[in-house]
């Protein structure tokens, strides 16, 4: 059976770093930007556009009046978003079937559920998340603590809406994961060998 | 530094079994009934009584009127409960300092927080928890599914109140744990070697 590891995460918790390092430690594939590139190739949309679509769930436009009833207008933007998601759905399945792998985000836990992936959720307290964001931010970026916290919570919220829209499940509900890892005050690379040892069993 | 593992758990999730097997696999102490016995020895209360006190948080009796103000009456039962908790507090600290160990429940994550234990939380979906309870129940015990579910939720609630009373923290909040493990549909002994490998690192 394929060894598939999916990683859901809170923004700033180091989930992506954990995924990348785990894949290196275990010697298995890590799919991230490759998925965007492949969707762009298959849909003739630009990578930037695909990235933007993937970061937002599609939104309906206002209902328009047809005859006596109201119908939601299905806009071209909405349809394109759905097409991108469907392509992502197909690509993630193809990639996961090709080889053992780690996939971060992208509703992969849901998309691959029939293959029983090991579903990991990475989270941390706000202090650690803010510290991780500051360590990675470009030098010229100057946000107050309040702004940074709002930025982090905003991204969490956007990801949650995206996840809930496409999967119908509550984002971050621990019952949708096999293992939840708290990275507060943790140096990610120090926990990777142990986690890899567990996941190899 | 001592290797201390504390395990919080939902009722029926197999947390106690996981704790016991982990301690065996890692070759470290497992403290469970020993704690009750030691409290009983030190307080001259019976083990049954200590067990009962530990399973319920103490409750205030109704306020009584003294002079012009209302004061909560601190009853002998309440004071005994507090004494048992304080004794438990001391004993858990002593045991944890004596040797590497696994301690299930008993607010050990909170009591030992200054020693930075690895705090594990074990949970599962209701179906698995009911199946585990049925497998362990005496043959003559006949509960309907509805009764069993209520029983499970009742024990969770009682434990949560106990935990919240003594620690001031929300029970089961994932930020109070380093690792949360979903045992739905899992055979506990199969995940133990992997977890032990991770925890030994």
């Amino acid at each position: 059976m394929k060894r598939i590891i999916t990683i859901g995460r809170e923004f700033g918790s180091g989930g992506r770093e954990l995924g990348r390092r785990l894949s290196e430690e275990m010697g298995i594939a890590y799919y991230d930007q490759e998925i965007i590139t492949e969707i762009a190739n298959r849909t003739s949309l630009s990578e930037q556009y695909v990235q933007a679509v993937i970061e937002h769930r599609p939104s309906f436009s206002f209902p328009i009046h047809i005859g006596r009833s109201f119908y939601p207008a299905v806009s071209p933007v909405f349809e394109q978003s759905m097409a991108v998601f469907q392509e992502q759905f197909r690509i993630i399945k193809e990639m996961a079937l090709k080889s053992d792998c780690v996939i971060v985000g992208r509703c992969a836990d849901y998309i691959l559920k029939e293959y029983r992936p090991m579903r990991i959720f990475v989270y941390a307290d706000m202090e650690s998340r803010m510290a991780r964001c500051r360590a990675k931010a470009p030098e010229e970026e100057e946000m107050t603590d309040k702004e940074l916290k709002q930025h982090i919570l905003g991204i969490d919220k956007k990801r949650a809406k995206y996840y809930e829209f496409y999967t119908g499940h509550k984002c971050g509900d621990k019952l949708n994961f096999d293992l939840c890892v708290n990275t507060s005050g943790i140096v990610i690379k120090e926990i990777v060998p142990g986690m890899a040892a567990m996941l190899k069993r």
Side-chain angles (χ1 to χ4, degrees), chain A residues 16 31-55 84 87-88 91-92 95 104 106 162:
Chain A
R16 169 164 285 163
Y31 295 128
D32 186 0
Q33 193 56 34
E34 295 81 353
I35 296 171
I36 306 290
T37 310
E38 191 60 25
I39 297 172
N41 287 342
R42 294 195 193 180
T43 56
S44 75
L45 300 166
S46 76
E47 289 195 21
Q48 285 89 329
Y49 183 83
V50 171
Q51 184 82 55
V53 166
I54 279 180
E55 284 172 3
V84 165
E87 208 50 68
Q88 177 172 251
I91 290 167
I92 286 178
M95 286 178 163
V104 177
R106 304 178 204 285
Y162 179 87

Side-chain angles (χ1 to χ4, degrees), chain A residues 81-94:
Chain A
S81 298
M82 292 303 284
V84 165
F85 184 78
Q86 280 165 14
E87 208 50 68
Q88 177 172 251
F89 193 98
R90 271 192 288 271
I91 290 167
I92 286 178
K93 278 204 175 188
E94 282 174 28

